[in-house]
Amino acid sequence: RRNFSVFDWWRENVIKPIHGARIKLPDVLGVPAATYMQFVYPVPVVVGGYYVMQWAIGRSHASIGPRGERLRERPGFRPDAGADEQRAQLQRILDEARRRKAGD
């Protein structure tokens, strides 16, 4: 038999009593408890998720601005840098193709 650990104690003394407990809920306005609990259980998750999302949006706005303005204020920021690199690479490819064709 394996050694008794703190997780075994937790399972026996906390998890099992909580999961084993049954609380009889009354019907509310003629709606069975099982039916209204299907709506009650997800509400904290949805509401909590909404507030977490709002918090994350606020942090994002504080960090980079509502439309990313602070990203553009960085030194050395060039919005066309990626496009310029692509154009240069494509031009190199075209030049190489022309050299090969002229060499044939």
Side-chain angles (χ1 to χ4, degrees), residues 96-104:
E96 179 65 30
R98 284 189 192 120
R99 275 193 292 265
R100 282 190 203 147
K101 189 172 185 178
D104 287 343

Side-chain angles (χ1 to χ4, degrees), residues 32-62:
T35 302
Y36 71 77
M37 287 311 291
Q38 290 175 352
F39 295 98
V40 170
Y41 280 138
V43 166
V45 175
V46 171
V47 171
Y50 172 80
Y51 282 105
V52 166
M53 203 59 192
Q54 294 305 311
W55 173 83
I57 290 170
R59 294 289 303 236
S60 171
H61 288 179

Side-chain angles (χ1 to χ4, degrees), residues 16-96:
K16 282 187 179 180
I18 289 173
H19 285 242
R22 297 287 180 241
I23 300 171
K24 178 72 174 143
L25 297 174
D27 294 348
V28 175
L29 301 173
V31 178
T35 302
Y36 71 77
M37 287 311 291
Q38 290 175 352
F39 295 98
V40 170
Y41 280 138
V43 166
V45 175
V46 171
V47 171
Y50 172 80
Y51 282 105
V52 166
M53 203 59 192
Q54 294 305 311
W55 173 83
I57 290 170
R59 294 289 303 236
S60 171
H61 288 179
S63 175
I64 64 172
R67 295 179 161 260
E69 298 86 13
R70 293 192 184 144
L71 289 175
R72 292 179 199 91
E73 295 169 0
R74 291 180 309 181
F77 175 74
R78 292 181 27 228
D80 299 337
D84 291 343
E85 281 184 34
Q86 287 179 349
R87 280 190 208 99
Q89 182 65 24
L90 287 171
Q91 191 60 52
R92 283 191 291 272
I93 292 169
L94 290 172
D95 293 344
E96 179 65 30

